[in-house]
Amino acid sequence: NPLSSPHAASAQDAVSTPLLRCFIDGAWVETARTFDNINPVNGRLISRVCEADRDTVNAAISAANRAAKGGWRGTSVTERAALLHRIADGIEQRFDDFVAAEVADTGRPVHQARTLDVARGIANFRTFADLIKTASSEMFESTAPDGAKILNYVVRKPLGTIGIISPWNLPLLLLTWKVAPALAMGNCVVAKPSEETPSSATLLAEVIQAAGLPNGVFNLIHGFGPDSAGQFLSTSPHIDAITFTGESRTGSTIMKAAAEGVKEVSFELGGKNAAVVFADADFDAAVAGVLRSSFTNSGQVCLCSERVYVERSIFDRFVAALKDRTEQLRIDFPQAEGVDMGPLVSHAHRDKVLSYYRLAREEGAIIVTGGGVPVFGDERDQGAYAQPTIITGLSDTARCTREEIFGPICHIAPFDTEDEVIARVNDSPYGLAACVWTTHLSRAHRVAAQFETGIVWVNTWFTRDLRTPFGGTKLSGMGREGGRYSMDFYSEISNICIRL
Ligand SMILES: NC(=O)c1ccc[n+]([C@@H]2O[C@H](COP(=O)([O-])OP(=O)(O)OC[C@H]3O[C@@H](n4cnc5c(N)ncnc54)[C@H](O)[C@@H]3O)[C@@H](O)[C@H]2O)c1
Ligand SMILES: N/C(=C\C=C\C=O)C(=O)O
């Protein structure tokens, strides 16, 4: 738990608020300026966090550059795989500390932190450790016009220093989703987690240090985006690639910075994902599935369905059923038995979500359930809780059905034909994920193939095989990560041609 970690509190003020430091070149670094890390369950101060200024960010980048030219790039696949497994072992050994860190920063249910966030942190390291040990490359045989035998083969080399900038919604999952393959492919890393969720990233640095990674291979800097650590990192001429997960407009800003140095970028950005329920769906499974895809993590998952389309013949029945299940959701403390939903990540984010609840009313929506803030009569009233909300009655041009809200809300609309719903799903500036609920086999394949999204789930949601390509189209991102797609992004690929 960051509250007890030896690196989280300076010795002389052990009783005061813990201090989370940056990790640079194998050492813990305090900075002149700090910011507060607040618990969104009750608004209380968890820790103070060292904000990396430009010099600190540049020190981290220099450390990574040195390590990249040092021995790390020459390590073998076997050595790197063993180190990644050691990091996974370290997370496993401190499993409860990581759970406590994620829960403290985000207020999410403990069972979610255990089964999703920390479990995936471990899986991300193990997956890429195993992948590089079994990965093959390509070789091509041909004959030159004069009859000589020609051999072409492909080699993957490290890119060098990777800038990793991650969001607050699934802090450890999304940070390790980038750190693991970056290290696996022999790169060095400067990682900046979200200012909202510094705790699990700090623990990860402790685990990486304990695993014995050479100094400078992994560096952690804390801070904000604009005019702070995020911008200093993404605009540095001394990083070789940027992998970013966050809002589309932030991605656009970072892309402009990367253009300066023609840097490789991988972007996992926003979404306005649709769930489509046909009349021939398994009704109960579809209700349960849309409940999950709308309200998991308080709707703070880039893959969540904020748009739900239901075939007209079952529309009223579906809305009633989803309303009933939504009103049964347990909104509680993270540790509470059977809790389904915690608070949003911060008061500021809740204000944004509530502004859309107000906008929905202004745009003429019918509020089927929710639309406000739960009242508990205890310390949670100082937290950032919001009611899970269902709305209907808006057009496809309303702001609430086009803009990403990133909270526990979905809009349900009826549709009549397959072609109509495909066109409506695709009529979006985003293209990350979609869900289809149907028992009609050929319809499932036919509809899934026509969605302009990077990911389609049929009769399930957020089911992940880490070997598959993950990413979005349009404003939802650029590039794919997962399996060999990550290996390709985190490598400089060369072709060697030999005349035998
Ligand atoms: N496609 C995906 O896989 C995926 C996954 C998770 C979250 N997201 C998206 O992320 C968003 C929520 O996360 P968020 O609020 O942390 O996003 P955000 O863009 O506000 O911040 C993300 C990260 O970028 C940093 N940042 C902000 N401005 C920056 C700048 N100008 N230069 C450099 N760094 C900057 C932040 O400090 C943070 O670390 C949502 O839009 C969600 O859809 C997408
Ligand atoms: N990138 C992944 C999930 C993203 C979730 C977005 O909030 C993953 O499961 O690998």
Side-chain angles (χ1 to χ4, degrees):
N1 183 324
L3 309 183
S4 61
S5 150
H7 301 295
S10 39
Q12 65 274 19
D13 61 354
V15 291
S16 69
T17 311
L19 179 69
L20 302 190
R21 299 182 179 111
C22 299
F23 181 69
I24 297 171
D25 206 12
W28 293 92
V29 173
E30 285 189 30
T31 61
R33 222 163 49 185
T34 64
F35 58 92
D36 291 346
N37 182 29
I38 300 295
N39 182 334
V41 167
N42 52 28
R44 291 202 192 125
L45 180 66
I46 304 171
S47 54
R48 289 180 298 118
V49 189
C50 292
E51 180 180 357
D53 60 13
R54 190 185 292 274
D55 290 345
T56 306
V57 172
N58 289 338
I61 294 168
S62 303
N65 291 167
R66 281 195 304 275
K69 293 185 177 56
W72 180 245
R73 69 179 296 130
T75 50
S76 68
V77 160
T78 313
E79 287 169 303
R80 292 200 300 271
L83 267 168
L84 263 63
H85 275 303
R86 210 177 303 157
I87 294 169
D89 295 343
I91 298 173
E92 256 169 15
Q93 283 144 27
R94 299 190 63 180
F95 196 96
D96 292 343
D97 289 349
F98 277 93
V99 170
E102 292 291 62
V103 169
D105 284 4
T106 65
R108 71 194 45 199
V110 167
H111 63 77
Q112 180 201 315
R114 299 190 71 84
T115 56
L116 177 63
D117 302 86
V118 182
R120 271 293 306 277
I122 295 162
N124 288 345
F125 279 102
R126 296 213 191 284
T127 295
F128 289 104
D130 294 342
L131 199 66
I132 57 174
K133 283 196 298 191
T134 56
S136 61
S137 188
E138 291 172 307
M139 183 272 283
F140 306 90
E141 288 179 311
S142 54
T143 307
D146 65 1
K149 289 287 178 218
I150 302 294
L151 185 63
N152 281 279
Y153 63 96
V154 177
V155 292
R156 284 196 179 100
K157 304 169 202 165
L159 281 172
T161 296
I162 313 286
I164 297 179
I165 301 175
S166 53
W168 49 257
N169 65 305
L170 298 171
L172 187 69
L173 186 158
L174 290 166
L175 175 61
T176 55
W177 179 239
K178 313 277 187 178
V179 170
L183 295 178
M185 300 315 290
N187 299 289
C188 294
V189 163
V190 179
K192 194 208 76 72
S194 171
E195 56 278 15
E196 303 286 358
T197 53
S199 300
S200 57
T202 304
L203 283 184
L204 179 65
E206 291 181 15
V207 162
I208 288 177
Q209 182 184 30
L213 222 59
N215 292 346
V217 172
F218 175 85
N219 303 277
L220 179 74
I221 53 174
H222 290 297
F224 302 83
D227 218 14
S228 184
Q231 183 176 326
F232 303 150
L233 177 61
S234 58
T235 55
S236 166
H238 302 298
I239 59 171
D240 299 293
I242 302 168
T243 181
F244 167 73
T245 300
E247 293 199 3
S248 300
R249 63 163 178 268
T250 309
S252 171
T253 301
I254 292 173
M255 194 167 176
K256 288 186 190 114
E260 194 60 39
V262 193
K263 288 201 185 56
E264 310 255 4
V265 293
S266 172
F267 287 153
E268 304 288 358
L269 306 178
K272 189 68 176 181
N273 311 304
V276 178
V277 182
F278 285 94
D280 61 26
D282 173 332
F283 187 84
D284 292 341
V287 171
V290 172
L291 186 77
R292 270 190 71 229
S293 68
S294 298
F295 302 119
T296 295
N297 201 37
S298 303
Q300 300 168 127
V301 180
C302 61
L303 304 161
C304 276
S305 320
E306 293 190 0
R307 295 186 286 154
V308 181
Y309 299 95
V310 176
E311 196 164 359
R312 196 175 299 277
S313 60
I314 61 164
F315 179 77
D316 291 342
R317 182 171 158 235
F318 186 90
V319 171
L322 189 67
K323 173 181 187 292
D324 181 51
R325 291 291 302 276
T326 301
E327 290 172 349
Q328 290 172 38
L329 287 175
R330 178 99 187 258
I331 308 164
D332 211 326
F333 288 102
Q335 298 78 3
E337 191 58 39
V339 56
D340 295 300
M341 223 178 87
L344 299 178
V345 74
S346 68
H347 288 101
H349 185 60
R350 183 177 68 171
D351 291 346
K352 171 191 169 185
V353 171
L354 294 179
S355 74
Y356 276 97
Y357 285 13
R358 287 193 295 277
L359 176 65
R361 291 185 171 89
E362 290 158 13
E363 292 190 310
I366 296 161
I367 310 294
V368 175
T369 187
V373 172
V375 177
F376 297 102
D378 59 31
E379 60 179 320
R380 286 169 294 175
D381 292 336
Q382 280 67 53
Y385 287 84
Q387 287 176 327
T389 296
I390 300 172
I391 58 177
T392 62
L394 292 180
S395 76
D396 292 354
T397 57
R399 286 184 53 202
C400 285
T401 54
R402 297 193 71 77
E403 296 174 14
E404 179 182 60
I405 300 169
F406 214 57
I409 180 172
C410 67
H411 176 269
I412 313 180
F415 72 89
D416 295 302
T417 69
E418 198 176 287
D419 289 345
E420 172 208 336
V421 74
I422 290 167
R424 292 174 69 183
V425 168
N426 290 337
D427 176 23
S428 170
Y430 294 101
L432 182 55
C435 250
V436 191
W437 298 90
T438 177
T439 54
H440 191 304
L441 181 62
S442 52
R443 164 179 279 161
H445 290 278
R446 184 173 59 237
V447 169
Q450 295 179 71
F451 284 148
E452 295 166 2
T453 58
I455 303 159
V456 181
W457 280 293
V458 178
N459 297 332
T460 186
W461 176 72
F462 204 2
T463 301
R464 292 282 290 114
D465 179 326
L466 306 187
R467 296 166 296 181
T468 58
F470 185 100
T473 68
K474 305 185 205 177
L475 285 179
S476 291
M478 176 178 289
R480 295 293 183 271
E481 295 198 33
R484 69 166 183 77
Y485 301 89
S486 296
M487 294 179 65
D488 288 349
F489 174 70
Y490 292 104
S491 301
E492 197 61 69
I493 293 175
S494 299
N495 181 74
I496 297 169
C497 175
I498 298 189
R499 179 186 171 89
L500 299 181

